[in-house]
Amino acid sequence: MSLVQIPVATAIDLVRWEPAPCGAVILTQTCDLVLPGRPTFHVAPIRLLDEKDAKPARNGRQANLVHVPELGPLSFADLTVVSTLHKSVLAGLETRRGVVQIGDVRKFGQRIGRRFSRFAFPDDVVPWIRPLQKLVESREGRLDSPAGWAFDRVVSLRLECEEGWKSAPYALTLCVILRAGVVPTFEPDFLPEMPAEISDWLYDKNGDVKPTANQIAERLKRDDEILDPTSRYWIWGGLVDAWAAACVAPQNAPQSVLNALQEDRIRGDLCTSEDFSFERFRHSEELDLDHLSPALPLHID
């Protein structure tokens, strides 16, 4: 859409014009655009990213950036700035399709919806997740690193609360959902036994992970083509446990934070996009790690 700036309200009756040198994307569905009783529509500016930042954004890692495939691999709708315009503005603008294929249309709509429907995790849980947030941020887009290689095979990170989010302490599980084919899928009753060599390397006598997450990712990347299915499955499980074990609240955190989790830990669960059930999807929340932040007081007169 050939719109080079969009309005942003800064105070009552005051507007700042947000530059949109690459144009803007119409977010409103066509069915709403053509209805005469709905006089407005919504737009967001297009941002161009470099390839390093674009790949994780295309994979849905940043909820504020939604890929616009027909404009190229580096073009994104930036949902940090969404403006409402009157439909009369459309008459003087040149437009083109930014999303054409039905699969892309579905993904585009889902990711716009995700931006505004993200779950607000309890304030006392957020500090526990921050270490994982920092780990992801430090490796995002670096596919040459072992951790970046591993995160590139993750479809989604979801947090599951066993008894719902009614009150603390919460029993939480970090569900790491891998792309189909990364690890074999086994029936629960036919899960092969962990090889002794893998068990001795991964876990101590208390069942805690011994190597760091990066060391486990390094072995997975190095031996990816030679690992047998059973070993690959269990080493990936160890990496998931290591990521979950990294979720530790600061020792100087408020007591309400330190008491927020059952057993003072988040458990890890290795899943694949093939075996993660809809029921678990309904009872878990996606971790948009780049948007985790403590609640701020908000007052509007």
Side-chain angles (χ1 to χ4, degrees), residues 210-271:
K210 292 192 292 186
T212 66
N214 195 60
Q215 288 170 332
I216 300 173
E218 191 173 59
R219 179 171 179 177
L220 281 168
K221 182 182 179 185
R222 183 192 66 223
D223 298 343
D224 183 55
E225 295 184 0
I226 63 174
L227 283 172
D228 63 87
T230 299
S231 297
R232 177 181 290 107
Y233 177 88
W234 286 111
I235 296 176
W236 266 104
L239 180 57
V240 170
D241 286 342
W243 284 340
C247 297
V248 178
Q251 292 184 350
N252 61 349
Q255 199 61 42
S256 60
V257 171
L258 298 177
N259 295 337
L261 303 189
Q262 291 185 20
E263 301 180 4
D264 299 327
R265 62 181 293 191
I266 295 177
R267 296 185 177 275
D269 187 21
L270 173 64
C271 312

Side-chain angles (χ1 to χ4, degrees), residues 6-10 16-20 23-25 27 42-49 57 61-67 76-84 108 111-116 118 290-291:
I6 59 177
V8 176
T10 58
R16 173 179 61 83
W17 289 92
E18 177 75 16
V25 176
L27 304 179
H42 299 94
V43 298
I46 295 171
R47 304 290 187 218
L48 293 180
L49 305 181
R61 296 288 194 269
Q62 292 180 264
N64 64 303
L65 296 172
V66 180
H67 185 218
F76 295 82
D78 184 356
L79 303 184
T80 56
V81 180
V82 176
S83 294
T84 303
F108 187 79
R111 289 188 173 169
I112 290 175
R114 165 190 166 197
R115 166 68 172 171
F116 300 101
R118 288 171 295 145
D290 54 319
H291 283 84

Side-chain angles (χ1 to χ4, degrees), residues 1-50:
M1 180 176 170
S2 58
L3 194 68
V4 296
Q5 57 182 1
I6 59 177
V8 176
T10 58
I12 302 300
D13 296 328
L14 292 178
V15 171
R16 173 179 61 83
W17 289 92
E18 177 75 16
C22 300
V25 176
I26 297 174
L27 304 179
T28 303
Q29 290 190 354
T30 304
C31 57
D32 290 323
L33 281 174
V34 300
L35 288 175
R38 300 180 184 178
T40 62
F41 66 104
H42 299 94
V43 298
I46 295 171
R47 304 290 187 218
L48 293 180
L49 305 181
D50 57 37

Side-chain angles (χ1 to χ4, degrees), residues 202-211 265:
L202 281 175
Y203 301 102
D204 63 20
K205 61 181 181 181
N206 296 319
D208 296 323
V209 179
K210 292 192 292 186
R265 62 181 293 191

Side-chain angles (χ1 to χ4, degrees), residues 85-190:
L85 303 178
H86 194 272
K87 285 183 183 177
S88 59
V89 175
L90 275 174
L93 295 175
E94 176 186 349
T95 61
R96 59 174 288 194
R97 294 287 296 275
V99 188
V100 174
Q101 302 299 323
I102 188 63
D104 292 334
V105 172
R106 291 184 69 249
K107 184 183 294 185
F108 187 79
Q110 289 168 351
R111 289 188 173 169
I112 290 175
R114 165 190 166 197
R115 166 68 172 171
F116 300 101
S117 62
R118 288 171 295 145
F119 180 71
F121 291 101
D123 295 344
D124 291 335
V125 170
V126 171
W128 289 87
I129 311 170
R130 281 247 176 79
L132 182 61
Q133 176 188 30
K134 293 178 180 178
L135 181 62
V136 172
E137 287 176 348
S138 67
R139 300 294 189 268
E140 196 66 84
R142 293 173 50 192
L143 301 185
D144 56 327
S145 72
W149 177 90
F151 279 123
D152 188 53
R153 283 150 177 75
V154 175
V155 174
S156 179
L157 298 171
R158 302 186 68 85
L159 204 57
E160 186 175 54
C161 188
E162 186 175 309
E163 299 173 358
W165 298 94
K166 298 177 182 178
S167 61
Y170 307 102
L172 300 184
T173 299
L174 173 67
C175 302
V176 178
I177 306 174
L178 301 179
R179 292 195 323 237
V182 175
V183 296
T185 300
F186 300 107
E187 293 295 332
D189 294 338
F190 297 95

